[in-house]
Amino acid sequence: MSANDAPDVKRTMDRGFLPENLPSVINSKELWPHFTDFNSSYQITTKRSGRVSPYNASKRGFQRRMFGIPHPLFVHDQAAFLVRHWDTILPKLEEASGSLSRPSFPVNGPRSTKITPHSLLPRARLEAFSRFKFCLVTDVSRCFPSIYTHSIPWAIHGKADSKEDTKANSATVFGNRLDFAVRQAQDRQTIGIPVGPDTSRIISEIILSAVDREFIRRNGLRNVTYRRHVDDYWVGGSSIEECDRHLQLLRESLREYELDINELKTRIVNTSAVFGDSWAFEVAEELDEVFPRFAAPRGDQVATLGKILDRARSMNDDGVIRHAIRKLDEHRSWNDHWSILEHFLAQCAVHYPHSFDYVARVVAWRQRKGLAIDTALWTDVIRQVAGEAATLGRDSEVLWSLWLMKELDLKLNKSMSSLMIRTNSPIVSGFIAHMHAHGLTTDRQIRNQLWDRVEGNHFTGQTWPLTLELMKLGFAKPPALDDGGGDDIVKRLHMNGGSLIDWDAVPAAFERPARPDNNNPFLEFDPDEAIEDYTSDYDDDEEDDDSNLPPSDAPDLWDMF
């Protein structure tokens, strides 16, 4: 079995633990040394439980997604289980013939687990459904938050056998061990799994592959053509009645695993509607016209940028903005047109919060390269974005704002830091602690405020990312070490100086690519683009999208024929 065929505990801890799309200074690369002597053996017992730390992130279409960050001890055990039993699990995944999210495990790359990227979905749907007139489009309602942890062994061993033997350490129904590790990570709750860790992505695929197998079985001798990407389903049909039947069978299959259809996103459409939209190409062509490389502009730059902003507003889709920024970056337009593009980016930041991480990358890139930026403008933009986001508890915008402040060497004032500590995720507060340690906060009493934010178990409770950084920095109060709870295994990450923050990490675009012909670590790397290559498994931020489907309040095809 090759490295791409099976999960790996170390790679999961290094690159598959934290939510995707965080600033480069926040990473889990230094966690593994604290777990090496476990030798991938299970460490979770009935006495070791924790709570998931929340992280509220922006999502395409002005929506939000709640990520969860379990204590790494629990993710370690989940990854160890997957490594130990992958030879048994993989054949069951392969029986889900229409899945586009069967995981592979690259040795290198931004994540430890990889699935079919969104950019390839339109072609996959075209190839699958070109013979059909209609397509059922649906998804699973609140998939990750709704997963019943006991359905994990159901998916691996069958419901009857799993209900017969529920022992966590069962040698026969070994899937109970994964169920147990997931429950212990979230205060023993059986409903939901955290969004974020790659182990959750694999667990969801195990369960939904079982749903697929049940869906195929219920279709009997009738061959069913479907494609599923994570929890999004497309099912081909020659008639509306056939699609309607598929919907009923899929609903029944999901309910076997305590899941259900998202009725608001369910529709039957003409098949041509699922092959992709044209707006991404139109935006790229418009930008090529007015921001060409090595040629004079062929059109009005301001009008074109305004049209892009209007398109995003009328479509209610900030993915348009992210796509435009990415294309400008790929075309290396910043240097020749910064006088206008800087103000375009400022407008993107204040109107489209989901684009702020891209904006922050570009501004930080120019700062690192010694290129001109309007510091007064960006100070105002950061203050506006961060202030609004902090008030609403929107962690991703706050965290990227703080990171950009770090890059621009701006100080966080007392009123803003107090608000953020009170309303934002513990991982945000942990970053603020590092800002204080590096002289980028004005509040002299901030250490007390940070400790006042701590609740429950200091080592595996909901605020564990904050206490980890406070203890790393030597900010811990003596009483905190006495009443934190847990044994030596639970405490070891905190007591041994573990951290999720590498203050000196360069922006991701400045990380030197691994090339065998250039191994000089002291040679400066000067990137021409500000935004690193990465893909999102949870969000389609740029191109592939179902926005060209009829809206949920449009007449269904049931009513049109």
Side-chain angles (χ1 to χ4, degrees):
M1 181 175 289
S2 70
N4 274 43
D5 292 334
D8 178 84
V9 181
K10 181 181 184 300
R11 292 200 297 268
T12 301
M13 301 298 289
D14 286 351
R15 297 183 280 116
F17 172 65
L18 290 170
E20 59 191 24
N21 197 27
L22 296 174
S24 56
V25 297
I26 299 176
N27 61 73
S28 58
K29 295 176 182 177
E30 299 304 318
L31 292 186
W32 180 246
H34 301 278
F35 295 91
T36 51
D37 58 353
F38 291 167
N39 294 319
S40 297
S41 59
Y42 297 141
Q43 300 298 311
I44 301 304
T45 68
T46 55
K47 294 181 179 180
R48 294 173 184 160
S49 64
R51 296 183 64 191
V52 174
S53 189
Y55 179 74
N56 182 297
S58 64
K59 179 182 175 183
R60 186 174 178 177
F62 300 93
Q63 300 180 64
R64 310 298 302 178
R65 170 171 278 119
M66 184 61 75
F67 286 96
I69 311 174
H71 188 279
L73 185 66
F74 304 96
V75 176
H76 169 276
D77 272 27
Q78 294 167 24
F81 172 92
L82 294 168
V83 170
R84 186 173 302 186
H85 297 289
W86 192 247
D87 286 345
T88 302
I89 292 171
L90 180 58
K92 296 181 179 296
L93 302 188
E94 291 174 338
E95 291 176 16
S97 57
S99 174
L100 298 171
S101 45
R102 189 179 308 142
S104 62
F105 306 94
V107 175
N108 298 305
R111 300 294 298 190
S112 66
T113 302
K114 182 180 180 180
I115 63 175
T116 303
H118 285 93
S119 60
L120 297 182
L121 297 185
R123 176 168 181 169
R125 295 194 294 256
L126 174 62
E127 293 174 349
F129 303 127
S130 59
R131 65 177 62 86
F132 295 104
K133 293 181 65 176
F134 302 103
C135 187
L136 165 67
V137 181
T138 189
D139 69 7
V140 182
S141 178
R142 302 185 71 251
C143 181
F144 281 48
S146 298
I147 283 177
Y148 183 47
T149 66
H150 292 336
S151 70
I152 297 171
W154 297 357
I156 299 173
H157 307 283
K159 187 181 291 189
D161 289 344
S162 299
K163 289 190 172 185
E164 185 70 22
D165 181 357
T166 60
K167 296 187 296 293
N169 292 318
S170 171
T172 305
V173 186
F174 54 81
N176 289 341
R177 180 71 213 192
L178 184 55
D179 173 16
F180 174 73
V182 172
R183 284 186 283 117
Q184 294 300 109
Q186 51 194 33
D187 205 20
R188 302 181 177 89
Q189 295 184 48
T190 60
I191 300 299
I193 61 174
V195 179
D198 283 5
T199 50
S200 291
R201 171 69 75 209
I202 299 169
I203 290 167
S204 73
E205 182 64 17
I206 291 172
I207 295 170
L208 289 174
S209 290
V211 171
D212 292 0
R213 296 196 300 271
E214 179 66 16
F215 179 51
I216 294 169
R217 186 191 70 80
R218 286 174 181 263
N219 271 277
L221 297 178
R222 303 181 184 88
N223 291 328
V224 59
T225 301
Y226 79 99
R227 293 294 181 267
R228 175 179 55 79
H229 189 260
V230 191
D231 63 339
D232 292 315
Y233 278 90
W234 301 269
V235 188
S238 298
S239 66
I240 293 175
E241 291 75 18
E242 184 180 5
C243 289
D244 199 8
R245 180 178 178 277
H246 289 323
L247 175 60
Q248 181 59 31
L249 294 179
L250 181 57
R251 182 183 285 112
E252 293 170 359
S253 302
L254 284 165
R255 287 176 178 171
E256 283 293 311
Y257 293 88
E258 304 296 328
L259 297 169
D260 207 350
I261 291 290
N262 184 342
E263 302 290 353
L264 292 177
K265 293 186 177 180
T266 298
R267 60 208 73 174
I268 296 172
V269 299
N270 289 308
T271 307
S272 59
V274 302
F275 297 154
D277 204 351
S278 61
W279 67 260
F281 302 101
E282 293 169 359
V283 168
E285 289 176 354
E286 292 163 3
L287 292 174
D288 282 342
E289 286 286 317
V290 297
F291 296 105
R293 296 185 66 184
F294 316 118
R298 300 183 298 277
D300 189 318
Q301 293 177 332
V302 174
T304 299
L305 296 175
K307 182 180 178 181
I308 290 171
L309 292 168
D310 285 342
R311 180 186 277 111
R313 189 178 303 111
S314 63
M315 293 172 59
N316 196 38
D317 186 1
D318 38 15
V320 174
I321 302 298
R322 289 174 69 86
H323 180 70
I325 296 174
R326 169 74 81 171
K327 290 304 176 184
L328 288 166
D329 191 52
E330 291 174 352
H331 296 167
R332 302 176 184 177
S333 302
W334 309 120
N335 290 345
D336 292 339
H337 308 283
W338 185 245
S339 61
I340 183 173
L341 291 178
E342 182 172 32
H343 295 284
F344 170 69
L345 290 175
Q347 271 289 285
C348 293
V350 298
H351 281 292
Y352 300 96
H354 189 47
S355 73
F356 186 75
D357 63 299
Y358 274 20
V359 172
R361 285 172 165 97
V362 176
V363 176
W365 172 80
R366 288 187 63 86
Q367 176 77 358
R368 287 259 175 175
K369 289 172 72 74
L371 301 172
I373 62 169
D374 186 339
T375 304
L377 170 66
W378 291 110
T379 301
D380 288 344
V381 169
I382 292 169
R383 183 182 297 116
Q384 180 172 338
V385 172
E388 179 179 350
T391 301
L392 298 172
R394 294 176 173 174
D395 300 319
S396 57
E397 294 94 317
V398 170
L399 191 56
W400 279 100
S401 296
L402 294 175
W403 176 78
L404 185 54
M405 292 181 70
K406 167 193 176 296
E407 290 293 303
L408 302 184
D409 199 31
L410 302 176
K411 285 192 174 184
L412 180 64
N413 65 45
K414 180 178 179 179
S415 61
M416 191 69 75
S417 64
S418 296
L419 175 62
M420 291 174 177
I421 292 168
R422 188 169 65 252
T423 61
N424 286 113
S425 166
I427 202 167
V428 172
S429 295
F431 188 77
I432 291 173
H434 281 261
M435 292 185 71
H436 176 68
H438 288 84
L440 292 181
T441 61
T442 63
D443 185 0
R444 297 180 180 179
Q445 302 300 317
I446 198 170
R447 297 187 186 189
N448 292 332
Q449 286 192 51
L450 289 167
W451 268 105
D452 289 343
R453 176 72 172 81
V454 174
E455 299 176 357
N457 186 311
H458 297 126
F459 301 104
T460 61
Q462 185 172 316
T463 54
W464 75 263
L466 171 56
T467 58
L468 188 71
E469 304 309 328
L470 293 177
M471 294 177 70
K472 171 70 175 181
L473 294 168
F475 292 178
K477 298 178 181 179
L481 304 183
D482 298 330
D483 62 3
D487 58 20
D488 289 344
I489 296 296
V490 168
K491 294 180 178 180
R492 66 183 298 162
L493 188 62
H494 284 67
M495 304 304 290
N496 294 344
S499 177
L500 296 174
I501 296 176
D502 178 4
W503 185 261
D504 295 324
V506 297
F510 287 82
E511 293 177 357
R512 175 168 296 283
R515 293 175 179 171
D517 59 339
N518 185 4
N519 295 317
N520 185 350
F522 301 103
L523 191 64
E524 184 177 356
F525 180 57
D526 187 26
D528 292 323
E529 298 176 10
I531 304 171
E532 73 278 13
D533 289 331
Y534 79 95
T535 57
S536 167
D537 286 344
Y538 291 96
D539 264 337
D540 156 31
D541 282 332
E542 295 176 21
E543 296 183 12
D544 170 56
D545 172 39
D546 288 332
S547 62
N548 60 325
L549 297 179
S552 57
D553 57 352
D556 288 320
L557 282 179
W558 283 284
D559 301 325
M560 297 170 63
F561 288 81

